[in-house]
Amino acid sequence: MLNLENQRFVIMGVANKRSIGYGVAQVLDEAGAEVIFTYRKDRSKDALVKLLPDFKNNSQAKLIQCDVEDDAAVVKAFEEIGQSGQINGLYHSIAFADAEDLRGRFSDTSREGFLKAHSISSYSLVIAAREASKIMADNGSIVTTTYLGGEIAVQNYNVMGAAKASLESSVRYLALDLGAQGIRVNAISAGPIRTLSAKGVGGLNTILHEVEERAPLKRNVDIKDVGRTAAYLLTDLSSGVTGENIHVDAGYHIVR
Ligand code: NDP
């Protein structure tokens, strides 16, 4: 049984109990870690307030507002977190694209929509990693969440696929950059999970069905599947691993 007592982790991007970040929080909480949440919308804060009593060790968790489109807000959030001590890891679980850019023709993507998706879904990792690294204890770890659509063209994923490719490349460059400080940076490529964000992607039901039919494990993954791999990547269990992208997708990515 993993024991993460006296370890502190920041999770960015829990909107409700279906969020991948919530699965990560559950696994870390069960292992005895302290978890600090950042959120954007008040609606997410309200959902978190309702979820906190279910945690064994984090019923009083700190909730800090942080819109990642605002550089100053990111700097302030990590300064505030650092005032109560160092952190051991960061789980980044944030993405956004306008609904019209997640269906139809990719070539119709507007410049504005393209930049917005990349700013929130990819650049946010770069600035969060920079600020988190300032308050990180020795051997810290940063993990983000990506999708197969960043590696291959998946119908409808469109601008988010381009943003995930950028995110995955940023993982490698951050790993090279922050490795000198002993900080590891990795990604989890999660299979499709019915979350608020995923519902914005056209044809989600078809994708979920196809994974169930074709993935080696003949099922879809859930947020705790992702959470357990996140716990591995966030802790010394993965001490020699950095710049990696681990697929938590029931093996779907190996099948053609
Ligand atoms: P959720 O909708 O539950 O989580 C997305 C989170 O992104 C929300 O908490 C949202 O906060 C946050 N967010 C969006 N814009 C901003 C912003 N400007 N500033 C701060 N936070 C922001 O969906 P998921 O849990 O599915 O998504 C988490 C990650 O997992 C994303 O990167 C997604 O691409 C990735 N992923 C998801 C898969 C899936 O099938 N569900 C598969 C593979 C990867 P708020 O609501 O408060 O704005």
Side-chain angles (χ1 to χ4, degrees):
M1 182 59 193
L2 191 61
N3 183 351
L4 297 180
E5 276 169 39
N6 302 318
Q7 302 250 327
R8 298 177 92 210
F9 298 95
V10 176
I11 300 181
M12 306 181 82
V14 175
N16 56 43
K17 66 174 190 217
R18 294 175 187 275
S19 295
I20 288 175
Y22 181 56
V24 177
Q26 284 178 299
V27 174
L28 296 178
D29 176 71
E30 282 160 17
E34 181 188 340
V35 179
I36 297 151
F37 296 94
T38 74
Y39 65 92
R40 174 174 63 167
K41 293 185 180 154
D42 290 337
R43 185 183 65 183
S44 301
K45 183 185 184 183
D46 294 345
L48 276 162
V49 165
K50 288 201 185 106
L51 290 171
L52 289 190
D54 294 340
F55 286 119
K56 269 199 302 201
N57 298 293
N58 290 283
S59 56
Q60 309 286 321
K62 268 198 187 62
L63 308 178
I64 296 173
Q65 189 160 32
C66 177
D67 182 339
V68 297
E69 284 197 285
D70 177 354
D71 288 1
V74 180
V75 171
K76 188 162 163 271
F78 282 96
E79 268 173 13
E80 193 179 331
I81 293 165
Q83 277 160 17
S84 51
Q86 289 188 307
I87 59 170
N88 301 96
L90 165 66
Y91 193 85
H92 174 275
S93 199
I94 289 176
F96 184 85
D98 289 323
E100 69 260 29
D101 291 331
L102 294 171
R103 60 200 67 229
R105 299 190 62 173
F106 177 57
S107 54
D108 283 340
T109 309
S110 65
R111 185 185 300 274
E112 197 193 346
F114 188 93
L115 293 177
K116 188 174 193 179
H118 282 69
S119 167
I120 298 179
S121 316
S122 176
Y123 180 69
S124 65
L125 177 71
V126 179
I127 187 166
R130 185 186 79 206
E131 294 308 311
S133 71
K134 295 177 183 169
I135 60 164
M136 223 168 238
D138 290 345
N139 305 322
S141 171
I142 296 170
V143 181
T144 188
T145 327
T146 188
Y147 178 61
L148 188 59
E151 298 168 67
I152 60 171
V154 174
Q155 199 76 45
N156 293 320
Y157 204 59
N158 293 4
V159 73
M160 192 53 78
K164 290 303 191 193
S166 160
L167 178 72
E168 290 168 21
S169 181
S170 295
V171 163
R172 292 185 283 273
Y173 281 96
L174 286 168
L176 183 59
D177 180 5
L178 300 178
Q181 279 169 257
I183 296 173
R184 298 180 296 108
V185 187
N186 291 288
I188 291 176
S189 185
I193 300 175
R194 203 183 296 280
T195 62
L196 207 57
S197 297
K199 281 189 205 152
V201 181
L204 176 67
N205 285 338
T206 312
I207 296 171
L208 286 164
H209 186 66
E210 188 178 319
V211 171
E212 225 170 73
E213 289 224 309
R214 299 187 60 215
L217 295 182
K218 302 287 175 240
R219 68 171 177 90
N220 279 289
V221 294
D222 63 24
I223 60 173
K224 294 278 289 270
D225 287 318
V226 178
R228 285 185 280 271
T229 296
Y232 157 73
L233 285 174
L234 284 170
T235 62
D236 287 351
L237 286 175
S238 58
S239 53
V241 180
T242 195
E244 190 56 271
N245 180 12
I246 298 187
H247 296 79
V248 180
D249 65 350
Y252 180 75
H253 70 288
I254 65 159
V255 178
R256 287 288 176 279

